[in-house]
Amino acid sequence: MEAYKAWVRRNKGCVHSLDSLANGLTWVLPELFSNSEIGTEAVTSIVGILTTINEHIMDTAPDERHTGSAYASSFRYGLCLSVLSNLETLVEVVAEQYYGDKKWNVIAVTEAIKVIVRLALFRNCGYKMLLQGGETPNVEKDSDDTSLQHRIGGFQKLGGRHGPGWLQDNHGQNLWNVEGRALSALSRFRESALMVSDPSWMQRIKHAIMEPQTSITERPTLSRILSEKGVNGALFILGEVLFITRPLIYVLFIRRYKIRSWIPWCLSMAMDFIGVGFLSHVTRSGKSRKEQRFHLSDSENDEVKRRKLLWALYLMREPFFNKYIRKKIESTGKLLEPVPLMGTLAEKIAELIIGVQARYTYMSGS
């Protein structure tokens, strides 16, 4: 396995090309396995899992900047979720073929596993927002130079008290000034003498350079977030828990009320709206300065937009699709049927939409 990891990291370009080619070939699989939907989904799942593993190997290379335990564990959870997402359609097809309507029991187990992994990841990453359902690590980029400077412990922070436009050395002196250059030289001479007379300085610098440059940050706990952020912290946690558990609750209610019932559809949509509403509330700037608000990073803002875009999938879910959308698609197909080229194209598109809509995993948004 180590040899394969080394080969993947040495040949990133080649691996990306092979993965793209393999994923492209999956588009012709329905023609090759027309008599077996399980065969089609099995090959697609295998290709997806191999692509995911290759990306995981490349992203966790030893020479990457992020080598902390939190980052590595986030990648392990993300790899597990990516593998599950590649397998879930195959699981659904197999369950439907062998168990019929009881496939929802198997799908519920799959969603329950994803909920457990996501909740564990949510806790492990310090209750940060999950990106792409947890498949992408939500980590902050730390400055290696800053951490090294703090570990050495004897140098002042660059920039000091001066405003922009001042050129300074590590001792905060203005190098454009003659007196500044002189003071800088004297300060460097003093520190050189100190290092000679005190060998522990050299040991401290050597230790700081030799040790891995990983940021030592305390992972926020649930009690700390609730005590510091108060109600806003509780709403943020609740919003993420609603997002994580919504697919499982949706499936459980489908098992209870069947797919054509409006109850699972309305409940799932309400959970999505309430969860995003909580996030919008806690990140909106408040009038009081004492209010502890959450500040989202660019990737977290993109994640909120992604979650809102997923609301469009409610148009494709039962019973809304069968009651409103399907009739429109069928009437449009009949209208364009006499047109030579457009009729055939419209028929294929309608067939594709209806076929994709029939699969829970394609429309789940989980």
Side-chain angles (χ1 to χ4, degrees):
M1 188 61 183
E2 293 301 323
Y4 177 73
K5 288 181 179 180
W7 182 84
V8 168
R9 289 164 181 163
R10 284 197 309 267
N11 302 276
K12 292 183 179 181
C14 178
V15 171
H16 279 305
S17 299
L18 291 174
D19 288 340
S20 300
L21 177 62
N23 281 286
L25 290 176
T26 58
W27 286 93
V28 301
L29 288 177
E31 300 296 331
L32 299 177
F33 298 94
S34 56
N35 297 326
S36 174
E37 190 176 3
I38 294 180
T40 301
E41 292 298 339
V43 175
T44 304
S45 298
I46 292 172
V47 171
I49 291 172
L50 288 176
T51 301
T52 299
I53 292 175
N54 289 336
E55 291 177 353
H56 174 75
I57 291 173
M58 289 184 282
D59 290 338
T60 55
D63 58 344
E64 294 290 334
R65 297 186 63 170
H66 298 290
T67 56
S69 59
Y71 186 77
S73 60
S74 296
F75 254 110
R76 287 194 293 269
Y77 285 117
L79 176 62
C80 180
L81 290 169
S82 297
V83 170
L84 285 173
S85 67
N86 281 294
L87 282 174
E88 60 184 359
T89 304
L90 174 62
V91 171
E92 180 183 0
V93 171
V94 173
E96 183 175 12
Q97 181 164 332
Y98 287 97
Y99 300 106
D101 290 339
K102 292 184 179 180
K103 71 174 185 178
W104 295 109
N105 297 330
V106 180
I107 295 175
V109 172
T110 305
E111 291 293 355
I113 295 173
K114 291 166 67 176
V115 166
I116 293 172
V117 175
R118 283 172 177 162
L119 288 176
L121 172 60
F122 187 46
R123 179 181 179 276
N124 182 76
C125 69
Y127 299 96
K128 292 182 179 180
M129 181 184 295
L130 299 187
L131 305 181
Q132 299 290 329
E135 296 182 22
T136 302
N138 186 359
V139 293
E140 296 178 358
K141 295 181 179 179
D142 300 321
S143 172
D144 292 343
D145 295 336
T146 302
S147 59
L148 176 61
Q149 183 183 19
H150 285 302
R151 277 194 296 274
I152 293 176
F155 298 94
Q156 294 182 7
K157 189 176 181 180
L158 290 176
R161 295 183 300 272
H162 300 286
W166 286 75
L167 178 63
Q168 300 173 336
D169 68 353
N170 288 340
H171 311 285
Q173 304 297 336
N174 182 8
L175 296 184
W176 292 109
N177 184 279
V178 176
E179 291 84 359
R181 290 198 298 269
L183 290 174
S184 178
L186 288 173
S187 181
R188 286 196 300 270
F189 176 78
R190 173 181 171 275
E191 288 186 355
S192 298
L194 178 62
M195 284 187 288
V196 171
S197 60
D198 184 5
S200 64
W201 266 81
M202 295 300 297
Q203 295 296 327
R204 289 166 61 186
I205 294 176
K206 182 179 179 181
H207 178 70
I209 294 175
M210 294 299 292
E211 70 174 91
Q213 296 183 8
T214 57
S215 58
I216 305 175
T217 55
E218 184 181 354
R219 184 179 65 190
T221 61
L222 181 60
S223 59
R224 176 182 169 186
I225 292 176
L226 294 178
S227 62
E228 291 181 357
K229 301 292 184 179
V231 176
N232 288 330
L235 291 178
F236 177 82
I237 299 295
L238 183 57
E240 282 299 293
V241 171
L242 284 174
F243 170 74
I244 292 171
T245 57
R246 180 205 61 81
L248 175 60
I249 294 175
Y250 178 56
V251 171
L252 292 177
F253 271 76
I254 288 177
R255 288 178 66 251
R256 175 67 177 82
Y257 295 99
K258 306 306 178 185
I259 189 67
R260 296 297 175 89
S261 172
W262 284 96
I263 294 177
W265 189 88
C266 293
L267 178 62
S268 176
M269 185 167 61
M271 293 181 68
D272 269 336
F273 285 179
I274 293 172
V276 173
F278 285 163
L279 290 178
S280 300
H281 174 75
V282 301
T283 55
R284 190 170 55 243
S285 15
K287 297 180 181 179
S288 173
R289 292 185 179 179
K290 294 182 179 180
E291 281 189 291
Q292 293 294 324
R293 297 282 177 171
F294 285 83
H295 300 282
L296 301 183
S297 63
D298 292 339
S299 58
E300 290 172 337
N301 281 315
D302 292 339
E303 172 63 17
V304 174
K305 295 176 183 177
R306 186 189 74 89
R307 294 182 185 182
K308 292 180 179 179
L309 288 175
L310 289 177
W311 293 349
L313 292 176
Y314 283 98
L315 303 177
M316 300 293 292
R317 293 175 190 162
E318 298 290 356
F320 189 92
F321 179 84
N322 193 62
K323 188 174 180 62
Y324 300 104
I325 307 299
R326 190 185 190 107
K327 295 178 181 179
K328 297 291 185 183
I329 293 175
E330 291 175 349
S331 61
T332 303
K334 290 179 180 179
L335 181 65
L336 296 176
E337 188 176 358
V339 183
L341 183 60
M342 293 294 296
T344 305
L345 182 61
E347 182 183 359
K348 291 294 183 183
I349 293 176
E351 182 182 346
L352 177 63
I353 292 175
I354 293 174
V356 168
Q357 185 274 335
R359 288 277 165 248
Y360 161 80
T361 49
Y362 292 154
M363 299 292 113
S364 64
S366 65

